[in-house]
Amino acid sequence: VGIHYLGLSIPQFALVNLVLAVVCFFLALMIGREYRRLVRENVANQAPTLNRPIPDIEAGPNGAFQATLAADTFVDADPGDVLTLSAQLPGGEPLPAWITFHANTRTFRGTVPSADHAETEIEVVARDFDGLSASGSFLIRYLSLKAQAD
């Protein structure tokens, strides 16, 4: 249309498209800012909640374990809110090196240490877009080969 009916050259047509793209970008940016302003004004953000308790994990001595949190472990009543999960020890300390948490799949993996008998408490925190959060805890219980032999 621009080249055949309006008689624009290819560089002119490209320039018109570039200007239109920039205008569309700024319109989308302004609409997004207005939407955020309206959301803050009109909606009282609610914190996420722990919907179901997180079950404890029992692991064998020096054995690998894997556990996945249910998709509805945490819920948020605000429409469209996306929750970000993280895991830590109670008090905010990072997880021990033998435990990994993959937030995208909600999966814990690890290999228990060689302690005689122990349990480790893990706290899972769910945060929404505005920083409000909820948490839930569970235990990883394990027994070593030495303790089993006794």
Side-chain angles (χ1 to χ4, degrees):
V1 171
I3 294 173
H4 294 293
Y5 295 112
L6 297 178
L8 299 174
S9 68
I10 292 177
Q12 290 171 329
F13 183 70
L15 182 61
V16 167
N17 281 311
L18 179 64
V19 169
L20 288 174
V22 169
V23 168
C24 287
F25 173 77
F26 281 110
L27 282 174
L29 186 64
M30 297 303 289
I31 290 169
R33 286 184 178 168
E34 180 66 10
Y35 173 77
R36 284 187 182 163
R37 185 188 68 77
L38 289 172
V39 165
R40 284 189 202 119
E41 251 179 41
N42 299 326
V43 176
N45 187 29
Q46 296 178 14
T49 58
L50 180 64
N51 188 45
R52 63 174 61 214
I54 303 170
D56 294 341
I57 299 171
E58 300 218 1
N62 296 325
F65 68 88
Q66 177 175 322
T68 302
L69 299 176
D72 65 343
T73 301
F74 294 94
V75 295
D76 194 323
D78 299 324
D81 254 358
V82 175
L83 298 179
T84 303
L85 299 180
S86 62
Q88 61 193 18
L89 296 177
E93 293 294 317
L95 293 176
W98 55 272
I99 303 172
T100 58
F101 177 61
H102 303 277
N104 293 341
T105 60
R106 304 174 319 278
T107 303
F108 287 91
R109 288 188 178 97
T111 302
V112 296
S114 59
D116 285 346
H117 174 76
E119 57 185 28
T120 302
E121 185 176 358
I122 306 294
E123 179 182 31
V124 181
V125 180
R127 269 192 189 77
D128 70 7
F129 181 72
D130 292 318
L132 298 177
S133 64
S135 64
S137 295
F138 68 98
L139 295 174
I140 299 175
R141 293 187 183 99
Y142 45 94
L143 185 64
S144 74
L145 286 173
K146 178 183 171 197
Q148 281 185 342
D150 295 340

